[in-house]
Amino acid sequence: ASLTVSGAIRANGQNGPAEYNVSGCGSGGGGGGAGGGIYLDAASATLGSGLVTATGGVGGDDPANCGTPGGAGSVGRITVAGPTVSGTTSPAAFVLP
């Protein structure tokens, strides 16, 4: 019936690994992982501020600078089903009536 988030709900992508061959030229940094999906269904949802996240991971570094850094992972999706929703999420939630 009601949901109040007081901790954190996260489906964040992991950061990409750095280039593994720092003594010579390797293949560059690894890509960040994509954020996952979160679906919440409650008649009343109080989500807090930034407690529910599905962000993408950061691309890995290329410390030898002979390749390129990895790309960032895309954001995930947050969907909240319910007529009364308050709070903020990252990325912004898609709210179903």
Side-chain angles (χ1 to χ4, degrees):
S2 67
L3 170 71
T4 300
V5 178
S6 60
I9 299 173
R10 296 188 177 123
N12 299 332
Q14 290 187 332
N15 293 339
E19 177 191 18
Y20 65 90
N21 187 4
V22 294
S23 62
C25 285
S27 58
I38 297 172
Y39 183 88
L40 304 172
D41 187 355
S44 173
T46 305
L47 305 179
S49 179
L51 298 178
V52 182
T53 60
T55 58
V58 176
D61 191 20
D62 180 26
N65 293 320
C66 56
T68 57
S74 65
V75 297
R77 176 137 176 147
I78 300 170
T79 302
V80 183
T84 306
V85 178
S86 65
T88 60
T89 64
S90 180
F94 179 71
V95 179
L96 301 173

